[in-house]
Amino acid sequence: MTAPGTGRGIGNGERAAEITTTFVGLPRDSFRILHVSTGNVCRSPITERLTRHAVQERLGVLGGGLIVESAGTWGHEGAPMEANAETVLTDFGADPAGFTGRELLDEHVIRADLVLTATRDHRAQVISMGHSAGLRTFTLKEFTRLVNAIDPATLPPLEDGVVTRARALVRAAAALRGWLLAPTVEADEVYDPYGAPLTFFRSIGDEIHQALDPVVTALTGVPARA
């Protein structure tokens, strides 16, 4: 485990791809999304790479702005992504190349503008680390449910910048959290496929993809292609 402050992994081209549009006349800024699971070899790598792929598909460009990363509460530091996770990403046309697992560190939480976790336990672990993380940490499915309740017309237009829009989206979701509860205990969970056959990995990949679609639409203001 690397000590906080070393910046391990941050800025690496494969681990911290920056995805957004460049707006003439707007200051260069960033919004960091951190996906968290347990080992950082299955669920969070899938979610990280699907997020990058979906944003690039919507906006069609790469550049400074949205930074998408992942880490694990018991992260397999330096480990490759599980082979079945790579297959799932390939199924969706996303790029699994160059991934290495990371242990979740304080610095990752401090730098994150939005933390999306696989389960409620992961969410609780992130929040317990402090750093005022409560208002910007959600399970992925929880955040999807909240985003679906937000009127897109109340968010800043894309012309104001993806970062501005993303920050407004997180504030709106946090304001709704106490009013829009999960229908069941399991509703906010993405279960761990580690060690499972490819069919189960694919079902988890489908869950993650479906949960991400409205989130990326809200972030970018651009719906998925039909």
Side-chain angles (χ1 to χ4, degrees), residues 7-225:
R8 184 195 180 283
I10 305 301
N12 180 297
E14 291 80 20
R15 297 292 299 133
E18 300 180 0
I19 308 171
T20 190
T21 55
T22 300
F23 295 91
V24 176
L26 289 177
R28 187 175 174 84
D29 207 347
S30 65
F31 182 92
R32 193 176 295 264
I33 301 171
L34 177 66
H35 293 293
V36 175
S37 62
T38 303
N40 194 216
V41 291
C42 298
R43 290 167 290 181
S44 51
I46 290 172
T47 315
E48 173 196 318
R49 294 303 175 91
L50 285 181
T51 303
R52 294 185 191 179
H53 178 69
V55 172
Q56 186 175 4
E57 271 198 328
R58 310 295 173 90
L59 300 181
V61 291
L62 295 174
L66 294 184
I67 303 171
V68 186
E69 303 176 301
S70 64
T73 55
W74 289 91
H76 299 180
E77 189 73 31
M81 190 187 310
E82 283 288 293
N84 284 343
E86 290 187 346
T87 299
V88 167
L89 288 173
T90 302
D91 288 345
F92 284 105
D95 184 10
F99 184 89
T100 54
R102 299 192 306 177
E103 177 82 17
L104 180 66
L105 303 179
D106 289 285
E107 67 188 63
H108 302 147
V109 177
I110 291 167
R111 294 181 180 185
D113 297 288
L114 172 62
V115 183
L116 297 177
T117 70
T119 69
R120 291 169 298 134
D121 282 346
H122 296 133
R123 181 185 63 195
Q125 289 180 66
V126 171
I127 293 172
S128 73
M129 294 171 72
H131 315 302
S132 303
L135 290 178
R136 50 195 167 90
T137 302
F138 310 80
T139 73
L140 171 62
K141 289 186 175 180
E142 174 192 21
F143 194 66
T144 301
R145 184 175 67 253
L146 298 171
V147 164
N148 282 332
I150 296 168
D151 182 354
T154 64
L155 298 174
L158 189 58
E159 289 76 12
D160 288 353
V162 175
V163 170
T164 298
R165 186 179 177 94
R167 288 177 178 159
L169 182 66
V170 173
R171 289 194 299 270
L176 280 175
R177 179 149 45 190
W179 299 93
L180 196 62
L181 302 178
T184 66
V185 173
E186 293 80 19
D188 288 340
E189 305 286 291
V190 176
Y191 291 106
D192 192 356
Y194 185 78
L198 180 57
T199 51
F200 188 65
F201 266 83
R202 283 184 163 139
S203 70
I204 293 299
D206 286 339
E207 279 187 39
I208 292 171
H209 183 262
Q210 291 173 20
L212 279 176
D213 180 67
V215 172
V216 176
T217 296
L219 281 170
T220 64
V222 181
R225 298 171 186 171

